[in-house]
Amino acid sequence: MYKKSAIEIRDLFLEKKISAIEITKYFLNRIEKYDKDLNCYINVLKDRAFKKANELDQKLKENKFVGKLASIPIAIKDNMHILDEITTCGSKFLTNYKAVFNSTLVDLLEEQGAIIIGKTNLDEFAMGSSCEDSSFFPTKNPWNLKCVSGGSSGGSAASVAARLTPIGFGSDTGGSVRQPAAFCSTVGYKPTYGRVSRYGLVAFGSSFDQIGPIATNSKDIALIMEVIGKHCPKDSTSLKLPLETYLDNMPTSFENIKIGIPYHFLEQLKPQVRKNFDDAINILTQKKVQIIDVDLDILKYCLAVYYIIATAEASTNLARFDGIRYGKRSKEAKTLNEIYELSREEGFGEEVKRRIMLGTYVLSSGYLDAYYKKAQKVRTLTIKAFEKAFDNCDFVAMPTVPSSCFEIGSIKDPIEMYLQDLFTVPANIAAIPAITVPSGFDKDQKPLGFQMFAPALDDVKLVQYASLVEETFKLTQKIPPLFDKE
Ligand code: GLN
């Protein structure tokens, strides 16, 4: 069953060829067998999963509504709340923090019959590109156990790649869905900002944060979006738009489709990444996709813009972790100030502290204009540059990552780690949708990804054509050899 897509698993259930309990047991067994090699899960929610599975079997027997996602096992990144379950955010600060409400995401998934199977590992508070900055353990890459899974949603990406679940969820502030998805040879999708409710997602960079699914194929992503792309009154940034259908009228050819490539920005690509990207473009050209060069030179400023705005927003969002309201309180603290200082000192890891310091610095009175406000201006210019580019093409394409997955412990310099996000942050800055599909492997058999961006609100078209791109590449269904067995 591990080779099946989420849609196929659901259909087997609906045809009564397999029960929800059997599906749940099967995937929980895979987690038990393989997760010790990978460390994808911070918490496996056995009881919750079986309770839901029982309910589904009962409902199907009685011919009651079971939902669009009936019996599909789903993993949730551990920075989204599930009522009465622990939300750690990958941090020592919240090791024992029990959520007091459900995120809208979880509500929507469960309403439609999904089985939430566990909470997955992440870099602390979703800050990172490797999953090494989790307070608990790094998640390993199923394609190469010496390497990182990517971050920050590495737990979900590795879990899907190793087929421990057909679907995983991540949050994407600067690439945290797409980068690990590419490192693990899966499909990762960041919707238009505001398309998916963030109610119950612990905030990192609020003007960038967006929840997104990771799957083995784009059709599963399409199915998921039909459920979660819904207006939510509890999230003030949620767009007031009706649900859309993704799986109807899927395109079957690339007729009249134009893809823009910012060739100038891609000049410095590493040879292997360049070759992989050029090969992908050649395949698409043979299928009659028209390729044009687009001027997106502004992209060279995106990393700086991202790390100014994201750290500024993070420094204010994380102020709520004061040792009083949530999670950890230092046992050493004797005064109010010590409660703040020592709880934060003991509870936060190095990278989170670095971000808070950077963020408060760029917001401080002497530097606000020089850094934060200037970054906001460049953000506006980036939005405009994308709009102009999309006047001449349907999608913009770039590699997802500047290099394939690297060895655990090999990147020590934080700036080098930030460079991982070079090709993913532009979508967050411009608030547009972006998707990565597997584009093959480098010479060391490490996966790479092909990324497509679309204009804001063109989510349906993007996911649909990503599915066609994926079929054209014929690569998505590859499974890491170590986990390609029962
Ligand atoms: N790697 C980026 C960062 O560390 C993106 C993180 C994310 O998207 N959550 O900020």
Side-chain angles (χ1 to χ4, degrees):
M1 183 161 41
Y2 68 92
K3 293 192 193 208
K4 301 223 178 294
S5 70
I7 294 179
E8 287 167 341
I9 292 171
R10 178 202 61 185
D11 291 347
L12 285 176
F13 169 72
L14 294 178
E15 290 157 15
K16 300 193 175 155
K17 294 199 173 119
I18 188 161
S19 70
I21 288 281
E22 283 168 312
I23 295 170
T24 306
K25 269 195 190 144
Y26 179 87
F27 282 100
L28 285 173
N29 275 343
R30 276 186 79 79
I31 293 175
E32 195 162 321
K33 192 161 165 196
Y34 293 120
D35 199 41
K36 38 184 185 313
D37 299 329
L38 293 169
N39 283 330
C40 302
Y41 286 85
I42 293 177
N43 262 317
V44 179
L45 305 178
K46 251 189 194 163
D47 293 347
R48 189 184 185 91
F50 278 126
K51 188 165 165 245
K52 184 74 188 175
N54 245 324
E55 187 188 304
L56 285 163
D57 284 339
Q58 204 54 40
K59 280 189 181 163
L60 192 68
K61 219 194 266 164
E62 295 164 8
N63 282 327
K64 288 191 182 147
F65 172 81
V66 283
K68 254 184 162 162
L69 306 178
S71 84
I72 300 176
I74 294 186
I76 305 279
K77 183 177 182 178
D78 202 15
N79 60 351
M80 298 177 222
H81 294 315
I82 303 181
L83 177 65
D84 289 335
E85 306 291 350
I86 306 271
T87 306
T88 67
C89 289
S91 178
K92 275 195 287 185
F93 212 108
L94 296 176
T95 314
N96 297 315
Y97 175 73
K98 216 180 228 183
V100 291
F101 64 97
N102 251 353
S103 56
T104 296
L105 176 82
V106 167
D107 273 341
L108 291 174
L109 296 174
E110 289 192 332
E111 251 166 53
Q112 291 296 330
I115 298 172
I116 309 291
I117 205 160
K119 307 280 308 269
T120 52
N121 196 25
L122 65 155
D123 290 295
E124 189 176 3
F125 288 102
M127 297 172 187
S129 309
S130 68
C131 241
E132 292 165 294
D133 280 319
S134 159
S135 290
F136 306 116
F137 34 70
T139 297
K140 294 177 191 162
N141 192 310
W143 292 92
N144 184 329
L145 297 179
K146 286 197 184 116
C147 289
V148 303
S149 54
S152 59
S153 318
S156 284
S159 175
V160 171
R163 276 33 176 198
L164 308 187
T165 39
I167 306 281
F169 269 91
S171 57
D172 193 311
T173 306
S176 276
V177 164
R178 289 162 287 150
Q179 189 255 19
F183 271 12
C184 295
S185 193
T186 55
V187 182
Y189 183 49
K190 183 201 92 74
T192 298
Y193 180 76
R195 200 71 190 84
V196 175
S197 170
R198 305 177 307 178
Y199 181 71
L201 164 72
V202 177
F204 162 12
S206 307
S207 73
F208 297 131
D209 294 342
Q210 183 59 198
I211 289 174
I214 298 173
T216 59
N217 67 89
S218 306
K219 288 213 174 79
D220 283 352
I221 300 268
L223 172 71
I224 290 288
M225 286 305 294
E226 290 190 353
V227 171
I228 66 168
K230 189 176 179 187
H231 171 65
C232 168
K234 293 178 192 155
D235 172 356
S236 62
T237 63
S238 165
L239 297 166
K240 283 204 180 82
L241 294 169
L243 269 173
E244 292 175 295
T245 46
Y246 286 69
L247 285 162
D248 291 351
N249 304 320
M250 283 270 195
T252 49
S253 87
F254 288 108
E255 217 179 296
N256 299 325
I257 289 296
K258 265 193 205 159
I259 294 186
I261 300 179
Y263 277 110
H264 186 62
F265 180 61
L266 301 182
E267 263 165 19
Q268 309 286 330
L269 277 186
K270 287 194 174 155
Q272 288 214 41
V273 178
R274 170 101 239 174
K275 180 172 182 317
N276 182 273
F277 184 71
D278 287 345
D279 288 351
I281 292 298
N282 280 340
I283 295 173
L284 293 176
T285 317
Q286 282 161 25
K287 296 285 174 188
K288 307 255 169 335
V289 175
Q290 297 172 53
I291 301 294
I292 61 163
D293 192 357
V294 286
D295 172 19
L296 278 170
D297 224 23
I298 189 111
L299 295 184
K300 64 179 181 234
Y301 300 119
C302 279
L303 256 191
V305 167
Y306 171 78
Y307 274 93
I308 291 169
I309 300 176
T311 53
E313 292 179 0
S315 73
T316 60
N317 276 327
L318 268 58
R320 62 170 65 91
F321 300 105
D322 53 8
I324 292 174
R325 283 173 292 184
Y326 310 98
K328 186 169 178 69
R329 181 176 303 170
S330 170
K331 292 206 171 60
E332 311 296 316
K334 294 193 184 62
T335 65
L336 182 62
N337 267 347
E338 279 179 11
I339 291 182
Y340 299 148
E341 278 172 22
L342 295 177
S343 304
R344 290 164 77 82
E345 163 61 32
E346 292 166 21
F348 288 143
E350 199 180 312
E351 183 57 32
V352 173
K353 288 178 188 158
R354 183 179 295 119
R355 305 267 179 133
I356 293 172
M357 288 195 295
L358 273 172
T360 43
Y361 177 77
V362 298
L363 289 176
S364 59
S365 61
Y367 295 102
L368 188 75
D369 287 325
Y371 296 116
Y372 182 73
K373 288 198 178 153
K374 191 177 266 178
Q376 294 290 14
K377 287 180 187 158
V378 182
R379 182 174 194 179
T380 305
L381 294 176
T382 309
I383 295 170
K384 290 203 172 123
F386 267 110
E387 279 170 2
K388 205 165 149 223
F390 287 129
D391 281 344
N392 300 316
C393 59
D394 299 275
F395 308 112
V396 165
M398 277 190 272
T400 315
V401 285
S403 64
S404 60
C405 60
F406 44 89
E407 284 199 10
I408 295 172
S410 64
I411 295 189
K412 299 205 168 57
D413 174 8
I415 306 281
E416 203 188 325
M417 192 65 92
Y418 298 169
L419 286 171
Q420 281 298 317
D421 309 325
L422 189 63
F423 299 130
T424 49
V425 293
N428 306 77
I429 289 173
I432 57 177
I435 193 162
T436 176
V437 297
S439 59
F441 297 81
D442 67 8
K443 66 173 181 6
D444 302 316
Q445 287 311 303
K446 294 176 182 175
L448 289 164
F450 180 79
Q451 186 180 207
M452 285 160 63
F453 302 74
L457 301 181
D458 260 359
D459 295 75
V460 174
K461 185 170 163 189
L462 179 60
V463 173
Q464 289 190 335
Y465 277 96
S467 179
L468 197 57
V469 167
E470 176 197 313
E471 278 163 31
T472 312
F473 291 169
K474 295 190 182 68
L475 288 164
T476 306
Q477 293 303 333
K478 281 215 169 138
I479 300 177
L482 281 174
F483 304 92
D484 194 3
K485 54 190 180 208
E486 287 296 335

